[in-house]
């Protein structure tokens, strides 16, 4: 009989924890904005390609901050902590060209990043309307690079397209400020991504994209940089 109070206490604790787990909230977020990227090797390659033009061409775009979109789902573990998974799409690129009355030359480089990973969020400050959180995320970063070159002289046209891919681990930290409304929240995030640059390889034959001036060095993608996004969040309860 002495064991019964201890059993009842343990049962009450178990039921309490179970109700807490079952009462946990789930949510979805969508955010979009701008992201910068280091891309030193890509800028170097762009300069090299420009130097091969038979005429003095010009770089009109060189991997500027560009579109970044993130979709995530999360689970609220505790009042201040949530965990989840996320997918991010980011793109940037470069363009160089030359044109006169007889024809034109152009090279376009398009880089796309697909990041998939997990994150954890900790709410630092919270109120009836505003929440300030710090987030950390780890990802696998898959980069697709397309280089398209073509020239046109009077009525003659020729061109080539090459595709490369790399995979690299990446990590990011960010600050998140959200304004709470009924059933959803709106806000913004600002963060920094550190990408452990991945070797670029030809999609068709697997050959490395080598430095044209140093064949012992493989060129890499590097998405390291800052990003800022507007964010929308909705809550789902099961």
């Amino acid at each position: 009989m002495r064991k019964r109070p201890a059993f009842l206490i343990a049962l009450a604790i178990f039921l309490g924890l179970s109700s807490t787990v079952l009462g946990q909230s789930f949510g979805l977020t969508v955010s979009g904005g701008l992201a910068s990227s280091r891309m030193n090797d890509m800028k170097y390659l762009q300069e090299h390609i420009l130097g091969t033009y038979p005429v003095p061409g010009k770089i009109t775009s060189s991997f500027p901050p560009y579109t970044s979109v993130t979709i995530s789902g999360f689970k609220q573990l505790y009042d201040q902590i949530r965990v989840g998974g996320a997918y991010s799409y980011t793109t940037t690129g470069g363009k160089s060209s030359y044109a006169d009355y007889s024809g034109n030359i152009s090279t376009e480089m398009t880089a796309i990043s697909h990041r998939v990973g997990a994150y954890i969020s900790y709410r630092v400050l919270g109120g009836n309307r505003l929440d300030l959180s710090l987030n950390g995320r780890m990802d696998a970063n898959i980069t697709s690079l397309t280089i398209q070159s073509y020239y046109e002289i009077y009525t003659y046209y020729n061109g080539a397209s090459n595709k490369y891919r790399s995979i690299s681990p990446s990590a990011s930290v960010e600050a998140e400020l959200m304004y709470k409304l009924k059933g959803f929240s709106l806000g913004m995030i600002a963060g920094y991504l550190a990408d452990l640059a991945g070797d670029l390889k030809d999609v068709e034959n697997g050959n490395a994209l080598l430095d044209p001036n140093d064949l012992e060095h493989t060129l890499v993608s590097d998405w390291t940089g800052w990003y800022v996004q507007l964010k929308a969040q909705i809550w789902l309860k099961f």
Side-chain angles (χ1 to χ4, degrees):
M1 295 296 294
R2 291 180 181 178
K3 293 183 179 180
R4 181 168 294 180
F7 171 77
L8 293 176
I9 293 173
L11 179 62
I13 293 174
F14 174 77
L15 292 175
L17 291 174
S18 298
S19 63
T20 300
V21 171
L22 293 175
Q24 288 171 348
S25 298
F26 295 81
L28 299 173
T29 71
V30 177
S31 57
L34 294 177
S36 66
S37 55
R38 185 175 292 166
M39 292 295 184
N40 289 338
D41 278 6
M42 297 302 94
K43 295 174 182 178
Y44 163 79
L45 181 60
Q46 185 182 33
E47 290 278 359
H48 173 81
I49 293 173
L50 182 66
T52 65
Y53 283 14
V55 288
K58 181 180 179 181
I59 292 177
T60 55
S61 177
S62 186
F63 299 89
Y66 208 66
T67 305
S68 179
V69 177
T70 298
I71 300 173
S72 67
F74 66 85
K75 182 177 183 179
Q76 191 81 36
L77 289 183
Y78 304 101
D79 186 47
Q80 292 178 301
I81 298 175
R82 70 179 61 153
V83 295
Y87 164 77
S88 294
Y89 171 94
T90 307
T91 183
T92 186
K95 183 176 182 179
S96 55
S97 61
Y98 171 84
D100 62 22
Y101 69 92
S102 63
N104 62 82
I105 305 173
S106 180
T107 303
E108 295 184 6
M109 304 172 68
T110 303
I112 297 174
S113 164
H114 301 275
R115 286 193 296 126
V116 181
Y119 77 94
I120 184 169
S121 176
Y122 179 79
R123 190 177 68 184
V124 180
L125 296 173
N128 292 331
R129 288 297 183 185
L130 288 176
D131 278 343
L132 175 63
S133 303
L134 296 178
N135 306 332
R137 180 174 162 184
M138 296 289 293
D139 296 284
N141 192 357
I142 302 172
T143 297
S144 174
L145 173 69
T146 302
I147 303 176
Q148 294 178 302
S149 298
Y150 69 88
Y151 65 90
E152 183 178 3
I153 302 175
Y154 295 109
T155 59
Y156 180 78
Y157 173 90
N158 198 4
S161 179
N162 298 91
K163 294 185 178 182
Y164 303 89
R165 185 173 296 139
S166 71
I167 301 177
S168 60
S170 64
S172 61
V173 292
E174 62 187 33
E176 173 187 292
L177 181 64
M178 301 296 292
Y179 183 79
K180 293 182 286 187
L181 299 165
K182 188 175 181 180
F184 68 100
S185 301
L186 298 174
M188 67 177 297
I189 56 175
Y192 184 79
L193 170 69
D195 184 25
L196 299 181
D199 292 348
L200 288 161
K201 296 183 179 180
D202 192 292
V203 172
E204 292 186 0
N205 54 38
N207 292 337
L209 178 58
L210 300 177
D211 183 337
N213 296 312
D214 181 4
L215 298 182
E216 299 297 322
H217 174 236
T218 299
L219 300 181
V220 300
S221 59
D222 188 354
W223 295 90
T224 298
W226 297 91
Y227 59 91
V228 178
Q229 295 179 331
L230 298 179
K231 186 172 187 177
Q233 173 180 293
I234 60 172
W235 292 91
L236 307 171
K237 295 200 174 184
F238 299 94

